[in-house]
Every structure is written in structure tokens, then in C-alpha cells.
Amino acid sequence: LFDAGVIGEVGSVDAGSTQTDTLALERQRGITIRSAVVAFAIGDVAVNLIDTPGHPDFIAEVERVLSVLDGAVLVVSAVEGVQAQTRILLRALRRLGIPTLIFVNKIDRGGARTDELLAEVAARLTGSIVAMGTVSGRGTSRAGFSAFGPADVSFGDSLADLLAVRSDAVLAEYVTGAAGVPYAVLRKELAVQTGRCQVHPVFFGSAITGAGTADLAAGIAELLPGAGGDQGAPVSGSVFKIERGAAGERLAYARIFDGIVRVRDTIPLGGGRTGRVTAMSVFCDGSAVRRDHVRAGQIARLQGLSDVQVGDPLGAPRDQRAGHFFAPPTLETVVVPAGPGSKGAVQAALAMLAEQDPLINLRQDDVRGELLVSLYGEVQKEVIAATLADDFSLRVSFRDTTVICVERLAGTGEAAETINGPGNPFLATIGLRIQPAEPGSGIHFRLEVDIRSVPLFVYKTAAEFAGLMTRYLQDTLQQGLQGWQVPDATVTMFDCGYSSPGTQAADFRKLTPLVLMEALRQAGTTVCEPVASFRLEAPADCLPAVLTAVAKLGGTPLGPDRQGAVDVIEGEIPAGQVHGLQLRLPSLTRGEGLLETEFASYRPVRGEPPSRHRTDNNPLNRREYLLAVQRGVRSGG
């Protein structure tokens, strides 16, 4: 931003003066917690920069941004090197086809590495890298970066070697050209292969001194592909962030892919919802500027969309990167208000935080009167507590963090309830069959009944009926037989009926849990716990103690692989034991151990499966369920 002329003084993380870390807690801790947007120009290239967190506890912020990126800059420390989070991020970027430059930061710090760091990147991230210059004065305040140019013959040769693997044209010139491949041809092909995610140029520098940042900016303009976008096309965009304004109004951060959005426009939000834009700010020249329109290629902060949610499309549907790019949270905790009279205020505040981060999955246990949230890690607790204190003047504490399990279907089951049947007070007939589905596939609903049996005087179309039934099923399967979510299943409706004109949508909504849970009971479930894969480096003489600790924590190590004086152990460990291993590792390895972990899968729990306290109306118990919903049940049905 300083090089682009947007700010007059370089910000500092340590001093809490960075442009994009605006939260008080971000400035205090020196980390990014919430994604932030800033726009600037590099020559005639307009750049919208979204600064995202690097800490693994805030990976959800990164996930929401990935769907709107044209390119990325992955930052690696010259001292700490490639970390577990670095590997997770680059794998996601490559899988999604997002062109990525690598910036090696902190070359001015003691212990900074260059050639060794490049070898580490090649070994642990990707071998398709090319260093774009050399570092001088490494590890000192005078550290600098000099970009390679046409006169650097060795750079041209190594670049030709790398690019020729994927370019017949470069290969032909490489083989037949007496003077080698022209430098201009190499730079053009480098941009092409970078845009295809086949090559990752590596720049070095220091964010604190500004060394190398101008070269990085030039690389962004030259090597990352510019966005397309047709201003004359129907509006198409995506909401990647939600926050609240000073007056409590909902603000939606949206990337516009095509078209123009104007103040007072009414925009489709998906799912039949619409919203009317009452005001907007467009990001340009380092800040958000009030405007009356936003055009394709820009990012805006929109007001007036009171029903908008993170991930909503704006306008015409667009082929977007869909689904979860990272694993969901595997931990949860109970939020405990400091005062008995503040529970309502805490719940309202947490609901606002859930708008910004839907993956915290705020839930209320009505039986115990508890509020629960999902987490990626312990640092998230501190952030939630500090946010509630700073923004809402609310004090909270937390219970011990527990692991979130899931339930997998053990077989197929089916059940049915008919109108006027025994114990059915609802004016609806429902027959459901539930079957296992592939992990990660979600809940799918199949309607296999005569369309005449669907109450189309209640639901406008069969598609609307199917859509609402899918929602009823998803809501019910948030809690399986043991109280854990059933994330993947295929549910088929094989029987359906109604009473005209008495049947209402509520009859289907309230009867569905009873039928579905009985079908689930027939199918049976297996409780599965999240498992993390790990890579652990430790001095060879510490190996016995490390292996013993891993085994006691339920891990299954493989190896070791001897690498000089260090042993590398890989394997799997229950996700709930990762924090314990992290705490024990320093004492087991004299502070020399390194641990990388990443969510791997879910596996059946060994021993007695844990159960989770139900927060629904317990449709497993007909009498308890009907008593809970009886106010909505008509007599005589």
C-alpha cells in the first residue's frame, strides 16, 4: 500500500498500525482474525486485496474468500519456513485452480534462510517454483531483494528448463535456438503457466522494511491473470463477508463478477429471497468510498440486504467454487455468561458473531439452558471472549473443549406414519427410507411418489415441496441416535398423503422428525470421531519417549524415517488429543520437536461410543416429542 501511494507510512504488526488489521484484538495480538479488503492500483492494473488470517483457528475466514479470488499471494516466513497451515492453504489453492505467488517474508530477521528455504518449499509444498531474484544482507536490517532480469543468463536457463516441461513452443526454441529462448518469450510463458497454477514464482522481502515489496507488486500485475467481467451482462456476484455497522445494520461484502449494481436495485439472493440495496461503499484508493453503483470486477460493501447470508449469490447464478475447501470445526464448547441475567444478551451477541462466521454453529440446549459454539481451536475461545467484552460489554467463560463426533449410517432403514394412524396427530402421511451415502456428499432427498399425493394447495410446486422436505431432513439429522450429526445420507420418500383442505405445511414439518428418526433407528448408526494426520520431527534420541506419548494418546505412528539427527514420524491421532500432544512435545524433545497436523477423516470410536445431550424435542421418544410440539397440533387430526 505504501509503494502504491495509498498510505504515507508503512504499518507495523508489532506496533498495531497495519491498515487491514482494524480490530483492537488484532492489533493487540499482532494477528489477522477477520478478513479485510483494501483496493489500490499498480500502474494501470486495479487490485482488490483481501487480507486473510494465517492462524489455523480462523481458517473459516480463508474459506469464505476463496470463492471470489482471481489470484493469491501465499506468505512464508524466511525463519519459521513451511508450516502445516502453509501446506493446507497451497493444496486448497491448487485444487481450486487459483494462481499463486509465494512471498518469503522476514529476510531481515536473524535466522532468515534463502536457498535452504527454497529447498524446503520444493520438498514440502511444490517443486514447481522459480526464485525471481536474489537476497543480499540476509538477517540484517539492510536485507534487500534484487529481481532477475534479461542479463541474468543462469536465471533464463533455469526458467527455460522449468517452462519447457509444459510448453512445446519453449521446448522447440530451447532445442533449436542457437541463442536460447528469448527472455521476452520466457516471461510471457511464465505468466501463462502461473495463470494455470503450473508454476509458482517466489519473491523474497521484508514487510517491515519494504524490501522486495515493489517487486512483488510488479509480479502481481504481470503474472496473476486479470479478472474478466461484462458490465453489460446481468448482475452476478457473491457475498463473502458479513459484519454489523455502527447502528447495528447488516453490511454485506460482495465481489461483483458481471453487471452493475446500483443503489435502490432489488437483487435476487438465491432461494427465492431478494434484497434492496439502500447504500453502498466501493473499495478504491485504499479505502471504502461511498458510491451509487459498483461494476464488474469491483468489491463493495452493501447496505439494506437484511436477509443476506455469507455465501449468498447476488443476481444471476454463476459457476462458483462450491463446497467446503477445508475440514469443518471438530471441537465445541459451552459459553457461560458471567451473570445469570445476561444470557439473553450473550445469545444475541453470539448470533451476530454467527452471521460473520456461520461455522461457529451457535446452538441452544433448551433443556440445560446452555449455549454451545463450534471451534477450530483454543485461540478462538479467547477471540470470542474478547469480542464479546470489547464490542458488547459482556463477560463470558467457557467449559472444557470437547470433540465433535458424527454418526455414520450402519445400514438401511424405513418407517411410515399415515393419517389417522395410531399415535399420529398430524394430517399427513409420510414414508421415508434412509440409506448410507458417500462421506462428504451431504443429505440428498428423492421424491418417489405420485405427484397427486403431494398437497400442492399448500406447496406451490413439487420442487418447493422437495426443497422444504430437504430442509426438514437436514434439520432433523443434526442429531442422530446418539445426538451427533448424521452428515451424509440419501432419504427417499416412498409414501405421501394429505387431507384436503385441513393439511398444512406444519403437519409435514412436525411429522418428518418422528418418521425419519424411526427409519434411522432401523438403519442404526456408528459414532465416528475426527482423526488428524500428523507429521512429527524430533531428535533421534527422543524417539522412544515421543512414540510412547503418541501411543498413550491413541495415535498410530508410522516410521520413523531417519533424516540426519532427526527422526520424522507420520501417522494418525484422534483430533481431541492433538492439543495434548502439542503441550507435551516441548518437554519430550527439549524444545526441538516440530508437529504438523491436519484433519484426515472420521473413524469409528473405539470402546463405548460417546453421546451428546439432545437439544431438539427428542423425536426418538414419541410421547416427549408430541408433548413438546403439542401447541402446534390440532385436535381431532
Side-chain angles (χ1 to χ4, degrees), residues 252-276:
Y253 286 69
R255 161 75 189 276
I256 307 302
F257 300 112
D258 291 305
I260 298 176
V261 178
R262 295 178 174 83
V263 174
R264 294 184 293 278
D265 280 355
T266 298
I267 307 174
L269 302 175
R273 296 170 298 127
T274 61
R276 185 170 180 267

PDB file of all heavy atoms in Angstrom, residues 252-276:
ATOM      1  N   ALA A 252     -22.915  -6.241   3.845  1.00  0.00           N
ATOM      2  CA  ALA A 252     -22.501  -7.398   3.050  1.00  0.00           C
ATOM      3  C   ALA A 252     -21.345  -7.021   2.137  1.00  0.00           C
ATOM      4  O   ALA A 252     -21.459  -6.091   1.331  1.00  0.00           O
ATOM      5  CB  ALA A 252     -23.682  -7.918   2.225  1.00  0.00           C
ATOM      6  N   TYR A 253     -20.243  -7.740   2.264  1.00  0.00           N
ATOM      7  CA  TYR A 253     -19.104  -7.545   1.371  1.00  0.00           C
ATOM      8  C   TYR A 253     -19.284  -8.473   0.179  1.00  0.00           C
ATOM      9  O   TYR A 253     -19.426  -9.694   0.349  1.00  0.00           O
ATOM     10  CB  TYR A 253     -17.796  -7.883   2.079  1.00  0.00           C
ATOM     11  CG  TYR A 253     -17.356  -6.856   3.095  1.00  0.00           C
ATOM     12  CD1 TYR A 253     -18.053  -6.660   4.284  1.00  0.00           C
ATOM     13  CD2 TYR A 253     -16.220  -6.079   2.873  1.00  0.00           C
ATOM     14  CE1 TYR A 253     -17.650  -5.728   5.216  1.00  0.00           C
ATOM     15  CE2 TYR A 253     -15.791  -5.148   3.802  1.00  0.00           C
ATOM     16  CZ  TYR A 253     -16.516  -4.972   4.967  1.00  0.00           C
ATOM     17  OH  TYR A 253     -16.101  -4.044   5.890  1.00  0.00           O
ATOM     18  N   ALA A 254     -19.297  -7.906  -1.022  1.00  0.00           N
ATOM     19  CA  ALA A 254     -19.605  -8.701  -2.215  1.00  0.00           C
ATOM     20  C   ALA A 254     -18.621  -8.420  -3.330  1.00  0.00           C
ATOM     21  O   ALA A 254     -18.244  -7.269  -3.570  1.00  0.00           O
ATOM     22  CB  ALA A 254     -21.025  -8.413  -2.688  1.00  0.00           C
ATOM     23  N   ARG A 255     -18.216  -9.463  -4.014  1.00  0.00           N
ATOM     24  CA  ARG A 255     -17.432  -9.356  -5.242  1.00  0.00           C
ATOM     25  C   ARG A 255     -18.428  -9.402  -6.405  1.00  0.00           C
ATOM     26  O   ARG A 255     -19.269 -10.307  -6.490  1.00  0.00           O
ATOM     27  CB  ARG A 255     -16.439 -10.514  -5.337  1.00  0.00           C
ATOM     28  CG  ARG A 255     -15.900 -10.783  -6.748  1.00  0.00           C
ATOM     29  CD  ARG A 255     -14.886  -9.759  -7.187  1.00  0.00           C
ATOM     30  NE  ARG A 255     -14.549  -9.915  -8.587  1.00  0.00           N
ATOM     31  CZ  ARG A 255     -13.639 -10.754  -9.079  1.00  0.00           C
ATOM     32  NH1 ARG A 255     -12.983 -11.550  -8.254  1.00  0.00           N
ATOM     33  NH2 ARG A 255     -13.389 -10.812 -10.358  1.00  0.00           N
ATOM     34  N   ILE A 256     -18.337  -8.446  -7.302  1.00  0.00           N
ATOM     35  CA  ILE A 256     -19.204  -8.395  -8.476  1.00  0.00           C
ATOM     36  C   ILE A 256     -18.443  -8.958  -9.664  1.00  0.00           C
ATOM     37  O   ILE A 256     -17.399  -8.429 -10.055  1.00  0.00           O
ATOM     38  CB  ILE A 256     -19.678  -6.955  -8.763  1.00  0.00           C
ATOM     39  CG1 ILE A 256     -20.310  -6.341  -7.512  1.00  0.00           C
ATOM     40  CG2 ILE A 256     -20.672  -6.953  -9.927  1.00  0.00           C
ATOM     41  CD1 ILE A 256     -21.490  -7.105  -6.951  1.00  0.00           C
ATOM     42  N   PHE A 257     -18.957 -10.049 -10.218  1.00  0.00           N
ATOM     43  CA  PHE A 257     -18.309 -10.687 -11.361  1.00  0.00           C
ATOM     44  C   PHE A 257     -18.759 -10.067 -12.681  1.00  0.00           C
ATOM     45  O   PHE A 257     -17.946  -9.842 -13.571  1.00  0.00           O
ATOM     46  CB  PHE A 257     -18.627 -12.189 -11.374  1.00  0.00           C
ATOM     47  CG  PHE A 257     -18.160 -12.922 -10.151  1.00  0.00           C
ATOM     48  CD1 PHE A 257     -19.077 -13.447  -9.245  1.00  0.00           C
ATOM     49  CD2 PHE A 257     -16.815 -13.087  -9.880  1.00  0.00           C
ATOM     50  CE1 PHE A 257     -18.668 -14.131  -8.121  1.00  0.00           C
ATOM     51  CE2 PHE A 257     -16.382 -13.756  -8.758  1.00  0.00           C
ATOM     52  CZ  PHE A 257     -17.318 -14.279  -7.873  1.00  0.00           C
ATOM     53  N   ASP A 258     -20.070  -9.831 -12.807  1.00  0.00           N
ATOM     54  CA  ASP A 258     -20.631  -9.268 -14.037  1.00  0.00           C
ATOM     55  C   ASP A 258     -21.703  -8.247 -13.682  1.00  0.00           C
ATOM     56  O   ASP A 258     -22.308  -8.293 -12.599  1.00  0.00           O
ATOM     57  CB  ASP A 258     -21.265 -10.364 -14.916  1.00  0.00           C
ATOM     58  CG  ASP A 258     -20.248 -11.308 -15.511  1.00  0.00           C
ATOM     59  OD1 ASP A 258     -19.307 -10.840 -16.180  1.00  0.00           O
ATOM     60  OD2 ASP A 258     -20.395 -12.525 -15.308  1.00  0.00           O
ATOM     61  N   GLY A 259     -21.950  -7.329 -14.639  1.00  0.00           N
ATOM     62  CA  GLY A 259     -23.035  -6.383 -14.474  1.00  0.00           C
ATOM     63  C   GLY A 259     -22.693  -5.191 -13.598  1.00  0.00           C
ATOM     64  O   GLY A 259     -21.538  -4.995 -13.193  1.00  0.00           O
ATOM     65  N   ILE A 260     -23.707  -4.415 -13.279  1.00  0.00           N
ATOM     66  CA  ILE A 260     -23.583  -3.230 -12.429  1.00  0.00           C
ATOM     67  C   ILE A 260     -24.707  -3.254 -11.401  1.00  0.00           C
ATOM     68  O   ILE A 260     -25.873  -3.480 -11.754  1.00  0.00           O
ATOM     69  CB  ILE A 260     -23.658  -1.931 -13.257  1.00  0.00           C
ATOM     70  CG1 ILE A 260     -22.499  -1.854 -14.263  1.00  0.00           C
ATOM     71  CG2 ILE A 260     -23.648  -0.712 -12.354  1.00  0.00           C
ATOM     72  CD1 ILE A 260     -22.562  -0.637 -15.182  1.00  0.00           C
ATOM     73  N   VAL A 261     -24.358  -3.044 -10.143  1.00  0.00           N
ATOM     74  CA  VAL A 261     -25.358  -2.939  -9.076  1.00  0.00           C
ATOM     75  C   VAL A 261     -25.461  -1.472  -8.674  1.00  0.00           C
ATOM     76  O   VAL A 261     -24.437  -0.827  -8.412  1.00  0.00           O
ATOM     77  CB  VAL A 261     -24.962  -3.788  -7.849  1.00  0.00           C
ATOM     78  CG1 VAL A 261     -25.995  -3.610  -6.728  1.00  0.00           C
ATOM     79  CG2 VAL A 261     -24.840  -5.254  -8.232  1.00  0.00           C
ATOM     80  N   ARG A 262     -26.688  -0.967  -8.617  1.00  0.00           N
ATOM     81  CA  ARG A 262     -26.923   0.435  -8.259  1.00  0.00           C
ATOM     82  C   ARG A 262     -27.716   0.523  -6.964  1.00  0.00           C
ATOM     83  O   ARG A 262     -28.453  -0.408  -6.610  1.00  0.00           O
ATOM     84  CB  ARG A 262     -27.673   1.153  -9.385  1.00  0.00           C
ATOM     85  CG  ARG A 262     -26.881   1.257 -10.694  1.00  0.00           C
ATOM     86  CD  ARG A 262     -27.688   1.920 -11.792  1.00  0.00           C
ATOM     87  NE  ARG A 262     -26.874   2.150 -12.990  1.00  0.00           N
ATOM     88  CZ  ARG A 262     -26.651   1.221 -13.915  1.00  0.00           C
ATOM     89  NH1 ARG A 262     -27.169   0.004 -13.783  1.00  0.00           N
ATOM     90  NH2 ARG A 262     -25.902   1.504 -14.964  1.00  0.00           N
ATOM     91  N   VAL A 263     -27.530   1.630  -6.287  1.00  0.00           N
ATOM     92  CA  VAL A 263     -28.342   1.897  -5.102  1.00  0.00           C
ATOM     93  C   VAL A 263     -29.816   1.891  -5.508  1.00  0.00           C
ATOM     94  O   VAL A 263     -30.180   2.409  -6.556  1.00  0.00           O
ATOM     95  CB  VAL A 263     -27.945   3.237  -4.466  1.00  0.00           C
ATOM     96  CG1 VAL A 263     -28.896   3.599  -3.319  1.00  0.00           C
ATOM     97  CG2 VAL A 263     -26.509   3.174  -3.956  1.00  0.00           C
ATOM     98  N   ARG A 264     -30.634   1.281  -4.671  1.00  0.00           N
ATOM     99  CA  ARG A 264     -32.081   1.094  -4.865  1.00  0.00           C
ATOM    100  C   ARG A 264     -32.416  -0.086  -5.769  1.00  0.00           C
ATOM    101  O   ARG A 264     -33.583  -0.349  -6.016  1.00  0.00           O
ATOM    102  CB  ARG A 264     -32.771   2.376  -5.361  1.00  0.00           C
ATOM    103  CG  ARG A 264     -32.749   3.504  -4.343  1.00  0.00           C
ATOM    104  CD  ARG A 264     -33.520   4.705  -4.838  1.00  0.00           C
ATOM    105  NE  ARG A 264     -32.899   5.343  -5.983  1.00  0.00           N
ATOM    106  CZ  ARG A 264     -31.883   6.208  -5.885  1.00  0.00           C
ATOM    107  NH1 ARG A 264     -31.411   6.553  -4.695  1.00  0.00           N
ATOM    108  NH2 ARG A 264     -31.375   6.760  -6.965  1.00  0.00           N
ATOM    109  N   ASP A 265     -31.387  -0.813  -6.251  1.00  0.00           N
ATOM    110  CA  ASP A 265     -31.658  -2.034  -7.011  1.00  0.00           C
ATOM    111  C   ASP A 265     -32.157  -3.130  -6.072  1.00  0.00           C
ATOM    112  O   ASP A 265     -31.682  -3.252  -4.933  1.00  0.00           O
ATOM    113  CB  ASP A 265     -30.391  -2.541  -7.714  1.00  0.00           C
ATOM    114  CG  ASP A 265     -30.093  -1.786  -8.996  1.00  0.00           C
ATOM    115  OD1 ASP A 265     -30.921  -0.944  -9.386  1.00  0.00           O
ATOM    116  OD2 ASP A 265     -29.030  -2.045  -9.596  1.00  0.00           O
ATOM    117  N   THR A 266     -33.098  -3.941  -6.555  1.00  0.00           N
ATOM    118  CA  THR A 266     -33.534  -5.138  -5.849  1.00  0.00           C
ATOM    119  C   THR A 266     -32.848  -6.336  -6.486  1.00  0.00           C
ATOM    120  O   THR A 266     -32.930  -6.532  -7.700  1.00  0.00           O
ATOM    121  CB  THR A 266     -35.060  -5.303  -5.914  1.00  0.00           C
ATOM    122  OG1 THR A 266     -35.674  -4.178  -5.255  1.00  0.00           O
ATOM    123  CG2 THR A 266     -35.499  -6.580  -5.217  1.00  0.00           C
ATOM    124  N   ILE A 267     -32.144  -7.126  -5.664  1.00  0.00           N
ATOM    125  CA  ILE A 267     -31.268  -8.175  -6.184  1.00  0.00           C
ATOM    126  C   ILE A 267     -31.704  -9.539  -5.645  1.00  0.00           C
ATOM    127  O   ILE A 267     -31.930  -9.687  -4.439  1.00  0.00           O
ATOM    128  CB  ILE A 267     -29.802  -7.922  -5.769  1.00  0.00           C
ATOM    129  CG1 ILE A 267     -29.369  -6.514  -6.164  1.00  0.00           C
ATOM    130  CG2 ILE A 267     -28.877  -8.949  -6.389  1.00  0.00           C
ATOM    131  CD1 ILE A 267     -27.995  -6.165  -5.646  1.00  0.00           C
ATOM    132  N   PRO A 268     -31.787 -10.555  -6.505  1.00  0.00           N
ATOM    133  CA  PRO A 268     -32.026 -11.924  -6.021  1.00  0.00           C
ATOM    134  C   PRO A 268     -30.842 -12.415  -5.190  1.00  0.00           C
ATOM    135  O   PRO A 268     -29.680 -12.188  -5.547  1.00  0.00           O
ATOM    136  CB  PRO A 268     -32.168 -12.735  -7.314  1.00  0.00           C
ATOM    137  CG  PRO A 268     -32.477 -11.738  -8.379  1.00  0.00           C
ATOM    138  CD  PRO A 268     -31.775 -10.485  -7.986  1.00  0.00           C
ATOM    139  N   LEU A 269     -31.157 -13.100  -4.080  1.00  0.00           N
ATOM    140  CA  LEU A 269     -30.122 -13.609  -3.177  1.00  0.00           C
ATOM    141  C   LEU A 269     -30.073 -15.133  -3.161  1.00  0.00           C
ATOM    142  O   LEU A 269     -29.335 -15.714  -2.372  1.00  0.00           O
ATOM    143  CB  LEU A 269     -30.366 -13.103  -1.753  1.00  0.00           C
ATOM    144  CG  LEU A 269     -30.400 -11.590  -1.568  1.00  0.00           C
ATOM    145  CD1 LEU A 269     -30.779 -11.249  -0.127  1.00  0.00           C
ATOM    146  CD2 LEU A 269     -29.057 -10.968  -1.934  1.00  0.00           C
ATOM    147  N   GLY A 270     -30.859 -15.774  -4.007  1.00  0.00           N
ATOM    148  CA  GLY A 270     -30.920 -17.228  -4.000  1.00  0.00           C
ATOM    149  C   GLY A 270     -32.021 -17.724  -3.077  1.00  0.00           C
ATOM    150  O   GLY A 270     -32.405 -17.056  -2.113  1.00  0.00           O
ATOM    151  N   GLY A 271     -32.519 -18.906  -3.372  1.00  0.00           N
ATOM    152  CA  GLY A 271     -33.564 -19.486  -2.543  1.00  0.00           C
ATOM    153  C   GLY A 271     -34.855 -18.708  -2.543  1.00  0.00           C
ATOM    154  O   GLY A 271     -35.629 -18.773  -1.579  1.00  0.00           O
ATOM    155  N   GLY A 272     -35.093 -17.921  -3.593  1.00  0.00           N
ATOM    156  CA  GLY A 272     -36.324 -17.144  -3.676  1.00  0.00           C
ATOM    157  C   GLY A 272     -36.293 -15.847  -2.888  1.00  0.00           C
ATOM    158  O   GLY A 272     -37.262 -15.089  -2.887  1.00  0.00           O
ATOM    159  N   ARG A 273     -35.174 -15.552  -2.229  1.00  0.00           N
ATOM    160  CA  ARG A 273     -35.068 -14.314  -1.449  1.00  0.00           C
ATOM    161  C   ARG A 273     -34.549 -13.174  -2.324  1.00  0.00           C
ATOM    162  O   ARG A 273     -33.835 -13.401  -3.296  1.00  0.00           O
ATOM    163  CB  ARG A 273     -34.119 -14.507  -0.265  1.00  0.00           C
ATOM    164  CG  ARG A 273     -34.600 -15.529   0.762  1.00  0.00           C
ATOM    165  CD  ARG A 273     -33.503 -15.855   1.779  1.00  0.00           C
ATOM    166  NE  ARG A 273     -32.354 -16.460   1.116  1.00  0.00           N
ATOM    167  CZ  ARG A 273     -31.102 -16.026   1.231  1.00  0.00           C
ATOM    168  NH1 ARG A 273     -30.832 -14.960   1.982  1.00  0.00           N
ATOM    169  NH2 ARG A 273     -30.118 -16.641   0.616  1.00  0.00           N
ATOM    170  N   THR A 274     -34.914 -11.976  -1.947  1.00  0.00           N
ATOM    171  CA  THR A 274     -34.393 -10.780  -2.610  1.00  0.00           C
ATOM    172  C   THR A 274     -34.018  -9.752  -1.554  1.00  0.00           C
ATOM    173  O   THR A 274     -34.411  -9.847  -0.387  1.00  0.00           O
ATOM    174  CB  THR A 274     -35.432 -10.163  -3.562  1.00  0.00           C
ATOM    175  OG1 THR A 274     -36.590  -9.782  -2.805  1.00  0.00           O
ATOM    176  CG2 THR A 274     -35.830 -11.138  -4.656  1.00  0.00           C
ATOM    177  N   GLY A 275     -33.243  -8.775  -1.968  1.00  0.00           N
ATOM    178  CA  GLY A 275     -32.874  -7.680  -1.085  1.00  0.00           C
ATOM    179  C   GLY A 275     -32.714  -6.400  -1.880  1.00  0.00           C
ATOM    180  O   GLY A 275     -32.357  -6.432  -3.069  1.00  0.00           O
ATOM    181  N   ARG A 276     -32.984  -5.280  -1.224  1.00  0.00           N
ATOM    182  CA  ARG A 276     -32.895  -3.981  -1.903  1.00  0.00           C
ATOM    183  C   ARG A 276     -31.708  -3.211  -1.343  1.00  0.00           C
ATOM    184  O   ARG A 276     -31.596  -3.001  -0.127  1.00  0.00           O
ATOM    185  CB  ARG A 276     -34.180  -3.181  -1.688  1.00  0.00           C
ATOM    186  CG  ARG A 276     -34.230  -1.869  -2.448  1.00  0.00           C
ATOM    187  CD  ARG A 276     -35.635  -1.283  -2.373  1.00  0.00           C
ATOM    188  NE  ARG A 276     -35.744  -0.018  -3.099  1.00  0.00           N
ATOM    189  CZ  ARG A 276     -35.571   1.178  -2.535  1.00  0.00           C
ATOM    190  NH1 ARG A 276     -35.287   1.262  -1.233  1.00  0.00           N
ATOM    191  NH2 ARG A 276     -35.691   2.276  -3.255  1.00  0.00           N
TER     192      ARG A 276
END
